Amino acid sequence: MSFRSGDFYSNMSRLNMGPSMDNGNTSLLHIGDIISLYTEDPHGGRGFLSTLGLVDDRCIVEIGEGRPESPPKKFRDCLFKVCPVNRYAAQKQCWTEQKRFQAGESLFDAEMMDKLRVAAEKEREQNELELRKTLGNVIQYGTTIQLQHVKSDKYLTVQKNSPARLERNAMKVYLDKAGNEGSWFVVEPAYKHYVIGDNVAAGNKISLIPYSAVTQTPTGTHVKPQLHLSHQRLVDHDTAAEVNCLNEVTEWQLFMFLLYNENQHDVVKSGDVVRLFHADQQTFLTLDTVEEKGVAMGDVVFLRMTNRPSAADATSSRALWEIQVVQKDAFRGGSAKWREAYRFKHLATDMYLTAVPLTQAKKEPMDRRQSLAQSRNKEQLLVPPPTDITENYNPTNQFVLAPVHSDFPEADKNLLFRLEASTITKNTDVPTKSFVRLYHLASQTYVHSTNPNDKANLYFQSKTEKGWVRVLCEHHRIDKETFALLPVAPTEVRDLDFANDACRALRNFVEHIKSGKGGKEPLIVTIQLLTECIFFVTNLANHMIDPLKINDFSPNRDRQKLLREQEVLDQVFKLLKAPFLPRQGTTEIPPLLNSPQELNEPRNEVWKTMFQLCYSLLRYSQVGYRKNQEFLAEKFGQIQEQIGFDLMAEDTMTAVLHNNPKLLEKYVKKDHVERFVELVRNNRQGKFLDYLADLCVCRGEANKKIQELICNSVLSEANRNIFMDTILDGDEVYIEWQEVRKRLVDIAMEASRSEEDAEILDYYR
């Protein structure tokens, strides 16, 4: 199969831009380049091709959010890597047969399935080899490529047999994890002065035609189906327009972000995520929120001290910084050079690192996740930010590192830092893992640590936190004040992005419930998200199994930590409470549900599934991880309210306590035991007795304190009726319970046919 038409050398004279340097802004387009795609339509719609995060596969354009001279805040969402076409025949056959095999419909046996998996793996290896072989090849008009979304690692894909969500006469465009034949796009010129075979240059306007449309569309057709910007806005995201595939012209302008030869793993470059590790104090530069008596007082930048034997192991998702290499064009990235300008963007909050006069570093009450809630449209910006930080009154002539939101970072010189080498080097590129000094350009100061033994230098200190040490900026340079640029693996960055996006999606759904809005689609989307979160934290490759029945898995500690740090678990608890709270539309509306008992009604089956997934996610997130167990233990009051309604709340509660004797004694009180005993009395089911038995034992040893609590409750006169009486009458053994007497032998024999006898036998055991 040929994926390129036209002669490589034909019409070269038509090119008005050769392979000139100019930082790649006017370079040719190659395999391996990272680009962004920008469009403007006659109706006023303009913006970059983007996505809604890692938990939503739709492709969109945020209308009015960003231009080439001022890209959107979430510019990482707009970056795509140019790849050669992958082959999918073996993988497609393997996927199809695996689904049939799971459903018991496949004609293949296990041995044949293994052979299919091997063939699919070899095909993936060949695709990777093809990428390495073609890296740097120039793209010409008529070439077929794939566009891999850098942030999600998914492929831009057209699903030709599925209509778009809004424009039903168009084909659906989405991001696919592995890609398929719908991910093949032919690059065609938007204007007639380019022809098939001409080289494609950065800055050109192109059309992206699905390969299937090229092969099936008659030659005389005026407009081919192509990647198209719809005029319709998303219902759930009114600033975003749908991107689909339709036979209407949409011109996409190519902007170069990173050339293939700049994208070297051993050199720091735009878009890299690093941890800044202070070499002398052995601490990471971190951004977090200071709280006083449960009230968030403000975001601060500090060096986090740790009690761990190896300080380098004390990693946190709040210590991740994205490097932005400052270039002439705001849309352009590049490799890092010594003594050039950089910005550091905090990955979890989108705040920028800066230095402010020491007198301005005051703490004021704030919203805990203010950084995610704030959103200003760049069209509302009337003036650029202050130009000179030194104009502010600063009698001490000292500055302190601080985080700041910036709607127009391209014009804010207060965000600029310079990297200086700690040793003399001839190499102009900044290598990864190198030690650097940070110099703030606007204040003309070097970043310095402070004495951690002086309490005046601590933002925060507690039993669990050894200390958050303030970081100053001063005019003199000190040799020991260096930071190591420790690279962060793309998979770790992707995990953080997923946790952030999941938190935002869950928060939006909770607000959706509170506002009194209806509709089943948001609920179904949330169920899918909770399922993805379960597979995310259990780290299982097989997503065919029931997410409620996962028993054998090796928990991923880093992902468990992410779910807590990025407040996903907190949003899950809010979601478990939201359906029972009054809703506020134009007037106050009654709650969706009056009590957990209503979840067992057939009409609420979907809601019950959501609750079960929530509790399963909580249970999986605490396996073998003390901090998450403590977090869940503090919510026992809320969990206890939903015990006994087949929501898996009791499973979560006992799982938290089963292997943690300190939590068992600290959080299990008389009212918790009484609640379980009440469930035994009301339901007469053996599983509730099992929960009580689980509380008695921790790590294989009896807990006397809990045993005493349970005995005092169970053996009291008020609860005597929960026991069965065993009566020996001659040679026969009878069971008497609830004024009914039956032979034990009869119960055992009928248990296989009678559900009632099976429950009695289980309870008796």
Side-chain angles (χ1 to χ4, degrees):
M1 185 186 297
S2 174
F3 293 94
R4 181 177 297 162
S5 58
D7 183 8
F8 179 87
Y9 297 103
S10 66
N11 301 296
M12 286 295 288
S13 60
R14 295 176 182 268
L15 281 174
N16 55 10
M17 285 186 286
S20 61
M21 290 301 103
D22 192 22
N23 291 330
N25 295 334
T26 54
S27 72
L28 299 179
L29 183 66
H30 314 82
I31 295 291
D33 288 348
I34 295 177
I35 62 170
S36 57
L37 294 168
Y38 178 78
T39 186
E40 293 182 350
D41 66 25
H43 304 280
R46 59 172 177 77
F48 287 87
L49 178 63
S50 183
T51 67
L52 289 171
L54 267 65
V55 299
D56 196 320
D57 289 335
R58 288 177 290 177
C59 295
I60 55 123
V61 168
E62 287 274 8
I63 301 299
E65 176 65 20
R67 292 184 175 183
E69 60 271 19
S70 177
K73 291 181 184 177
K74 297 279 188 180
F75 196 43
R76 290 173 61 240
D77 289 349
C78 308
L79 300 178
F80 293 84
K81 184 178 181 180
V82 180
C83 300
V85 290
N86 290 333
R87 310 293 176 170
Y88 293 104
Q91 295 172 73
K92 184 178 180 180
Q93 187 179 8
C94 183
W95 296 331
T96 304
E97 288 301 327
Q98 190 167 354
K99 289 180 181 177
R100 292 178 181 171
F101 190 77
Q102 293 280 352
E105 301 172 358
S106 177
L107 300 176
F108 291 6
D109 56 16
E111 184 180 353
M112 195 64 187
M113 284 301 302
D114 287 338
K115 290 182 179 179
L116 282 178
R117 293 189 190 100
V118 170
E121 186 59 36
K122 285 185 176 178
E123 188 176 62
R124 280 190 285 269
E125 291 174 0
Q126 289 172 351
N127 288 337
E128 291 174 6
L129 180 63
E130 182 69 15
L131 174 60
R132 290 195 293 269
K133 284 171 58 179
T134 58
L135 188 68
N137 285 6
V138 176
I139 304 295
Q140 289 122 24
Y141 289 112
T143 303
T144 303
I145 61 170
Q146 290 187 204
L147 292 174
Q148 185 180 33
H149 189 233
V150 173
K151 181 177 176 180
S152 66
D153 212 30
K154 298 177 181 178
Y155 291 93
L156 188 70
T157 305
V158 174
Q159 192 170 350
K160 63 179 181 180
N161 296 326
S162 179
R165 187 171 297 191
L166 298 180
E167 286 189 290
R168 305 300 289 178
N169 60 327
M171 290 182 282
K172 177 182 176 182
V173 173
Y174 69 106
L175 293 176
D176 189 88
K177 186 174 182 180
N180 53 51
E181 285 88 345
S183 310
W184 299 343
F185 289 90
V186 179
V187 181
E188 293 198 357
Y191 301 130
K192 293 181 180 178
H193 63 278
Y194 293 111
V195 296
I196 300 300
D198 283 354
N199 290 340
V200 183
N204 286 9
K205 292 188 176 181
I206 62 170
S207 298
L208 288 169
I209 317 295
Y211 181 78
S212 57
V214 173
T215 56
Q216 296 172 11
T217 306
T219 309
T221 303
H222 183 60
V223 180
K224 300 174 183 176
Q226 57 191 272
L227 195 68
H228 168 255
L229 173 61
S230 170
H231 307 312
Q232 299 189 36
R233 306 290 180 93
L234 302 186
V235 177
D236 57 338
H237 201 84
D238 57 8
T239 61
E242 179 182 74
V243 171
N244 52 42
C245 183
L246 189 65
N247 53 351
E248 287 185 8
V249 174
T250 298
E251 299 170 356
W252 299 95
Q253 188 169 8
L254 283 167
F255 286 111
M256 183 67 67
F257 178 75
L258 211 60
L259 283 165
Y260 74 97
N261 54 6
E262 294 174 330
N263 193 8
Q264 305 295 325
H265 71 277
D266 56 346
V267 174
V268 177
K269 54 196 172 295
S270 295
D272 276 1
V273 177
V274 299
R275 286 188 172 93
L276 294 167
F277 186 67
H278 192 273
D280 188 65
Q281 286 202 4
Q282 295 284 289
T283 49
F284 289 102
L285 191 70
T286 308
L287 190 157
D288 211 333
T289 304
V290 174
E291 294 185 1
E292 290 183 7
K293 298 179 180 179
V295 178
M297 299 302 293
D299 289 319
V300 292
V301 174
F302 56 91
L303 293 171
R304 178 176 246 141
M305 299 175 67
T306 179
N307 291 314
R308 295 196 183 198
S310 175
D313 295 335
T315 56
S316 167
S317 59
R318 302 193 191 282
L320 302 185
W321 301 90
E322 178 191 349
I323 292 179
Q324 296 182 353
V325 180
V326 177
Q327 301 278 17
K328 177 183 175 183
D329 296 308
F331 57 80
R332 182 72 168 93
S335 56
K337 310 290 183 183
W338 293 114
R339 302 183 69 81
E340 289 189 354
Y342 303 89
R343 288 184 292 268
F344 292 91
K345 185 179 181 182
H346 191 245
L347 202 62
T349 62
D350 291 334
M351 299 178 80
Y352 285 90
L353 191 65
T354 188
V356 298
L358 193 57
T359 52
Q360 290 186 0
K362 296 179 180 179
K363 295 182 290 182
E364 297 178 358
M366 59 166 288
D367 181 6
R368 174 65 185 86
R369 289 188 72 87
Q370 182 183 18
S371 56
L372 296 178
Q374 286 187 351
S375 59
R376 282 180 61 199
N377 194 307
K378 288 187 179 177
E379 300 299 321
Q380 300 170 354
L381 291 174
L382 301 178
V383 292
T387 57
D388 193 352
I389 201 169
T390 58
E391 293 175 0
N392 298 311
Y393 177 65
N394 185 19
T396 63
N397 204 27
Q398 279 189 324
F399 296 82
V400 62
L401 271 192
V404 64
H405 290 281
S406 179
D407 293 302
F408 200 46
E410 299 81 16
D412 192 348
K413 69 178 185 180
N414 296 326
L415 307 180
L416 301 183
F417 288 83
R418 188 172 70 202
L419 298 183
E420 295 187 358
S422 59
T423 58
I424 297 175
T425 176
K426 295 180 180 179
N427 191 0
T428 58
D429 292 328
V430 179
T432 56
K433 299 183 181 180
S434 56
F435 290 95
V436 302
R437 294 189 184 90
L438 296 181
Y439 180 79
H440 186 243
L441 292 175
S443 63
Q444 300 178 5
T445 56
Y446 288 92
V447 176
H448 290 174
S449 62
T450 56
N451 182 7
N453 298 319
D454 185 353
K455 287 192 175 182
N457 291 328
L458 299 183
Y459 285 119
F460 180 72
Q461 191 176 26
S462 68
K463 292 180 180 178
T464 56
E465 290 284 353
K466 191 175 180 181
W468 295 4
V469 185
R470 184 169 58 179
V471 185
L472 295 181
C473 296
E474 297 175 311
H475 292 286
H476 56 283
R477 191 180 78 175
I478 301 177
D479 189 43
K480 69 175 183 178
E481 299 297 340
T482 61
F483 290 84
L485 300 176
L486 301 183
V488 178
T491 51
E492 186 177 347
V493 177
R494 212 164 284 129
D495 286 350
L496 174 61
D497 289 332
F498 176 84
N500 258 331
D501 294 338
C503 179
R504 184 174 65 249
L506 290 173
R507 186 190 305 108
N508 290 342
F509 183 59
V510 170
E511 293 302 320
H512 177 86
I513 295 174
K514 289 180 178 178
S515 65
K517 297 177 183 176
K520 275 194 172 181
E521 186 177 352
L523 175 58
I524 293 171
V525 170
T526 301
I527 286 175
Q528 292 172 344
L529 172 58
L530 290 168
T531 303
E532 286 182 31
C533 287
I534 286 174
F535 289 127
F536 173 78
V537 76
T538 55
N539 203 26
L540 290 178
N542 181 11
H543 290 190
M544 301 282 188
I545 61 178
D546 187 346
L548 302 178
K549 298 178 181 178
I550 300 173
N551 296 316
D552 186 20
F553 71 97
S554 299
N556 187 312
R557 172 68 65 89
D558 292 331
R559 290 181 172 181
Q560 289 176 320
K561 186 178 182 180
L562 269 178
L563 292 185
R564 187 190 79 254
E565 287 188 340
Q566 301 308 315
E567 302 184 10
V568 175
L569 301 184
D570 190 53
Q571 292 301 323
V572 168
F573 278 109
K574 290 179 180 178
L575 180 56
L576 290 169
K577 190 183 291 185
F580 305 105
L581 299 175
R583 295 172 289 166
Q584 191 65 47
T586 51
T587 59
E588 188 168 298
I589 310 171
L592 275 170
L593 303 167
N594 292 315
S595 73
Q597 185 68 44
E598 293 184 12
L599 288 167
N600 290 313
E601 297 176 8
R603 63 188 177 92
N604 292 325
E605 186 178 353
V606 182
W607 283 99
K608 182 178 179 180
T609 300
M610 187 202 77
F611 272 73
Q612 290 176 332
L613 288 168
C614 283
Y615 278 113
S616 295
L617 176 59
L618 294 174
R619 188 170 78 255
Y620 299 141
S621 68
Q622 59 80 42
V623 175
Y625 188 23
R626 177 183 55 82
K627 283 198 173 181
N628 280 13
Q629 291 169 355
E630 291 172 351
F631 178 82
L632 266 61
E634 291 172 358
K635 305 284 187 179
F636 275 175
Q638 180 180 341
I639 296 175
Q640 192 175 357
E641 295 174 1
Q642 298 178 354
I643 285 177
F645 301 103
D646 195 27
L647 304 179
M648 308 185 82
E650 52 274 6
D651 299 81
T652 302
M653 191 169 178
T654 52
V656 171
L657 300 170
H658 189 60
N659 286 315
N660 198 321
K662 290 183 179 179
L663 287 183
L664 191 64
E665 294 188 7
K666 182 178 179 181
Y667 289 99
V668 176
K669 306 297 181 185
K670 182 180 178 180
D671 56 338
H672 294 104
V673 174
E674 291 287 353
R675 175 62 178 154
F676 274 109
V677 174
E678 182 185 348
L679 291 171
V680 173
R681 187 171 58 251
N682 294 341
N683 295 279
R684 306 286 179 174
Q685 292 180 3
K687 67 177 183 178
F688 295 109
L689 287 171
D690 288 336
Y691 294 138
L692 280 174
D694 286 342
L695 294 178
C696 291
V697 180
C698 188
R699 294 180 181 173
E701 295 183 4
N703 189 299
K704 294 180 181 180
K705 181 181 176 182
I706 306 302
Q707 284 180 329
E708 185 178 352
L709 282 174
I710 292 174
C711 286
N712 289 339
S713 178
V714 169
L715 299 177
S716 66
E717 287 300 322
N719 295 321
R720 294 286 292 179
N721 61 346
I722 71 172
F723 291 104
M724 290 179 167
D725 291 327
T726 304
I727 302 171
L728 182 62
D729 188 355
D731 294 333
E732 298 290 343
V733 178
Y734 289 86
I735 301 298
E736 186 173 314
W737 190 36
Q738 296 177 323
E739 300 179 356
V740 176
R741 178 184 288 194
K742 295 182 72 172
R743 285 199 317 160
L744 181 59
V745 173
D746 294 339
I747 295 173
M749 293 180 66
E750 294 295 324
S752 60
R753 295 186 292 272
S754 169
E755 185 177 342
E756 181 183 356
D757 285 334
E759 289 180 358
I760 292 174
L761 187 62
D762 180 57
Y763 191 87
Y764 183 71
R765 285 173 178 158

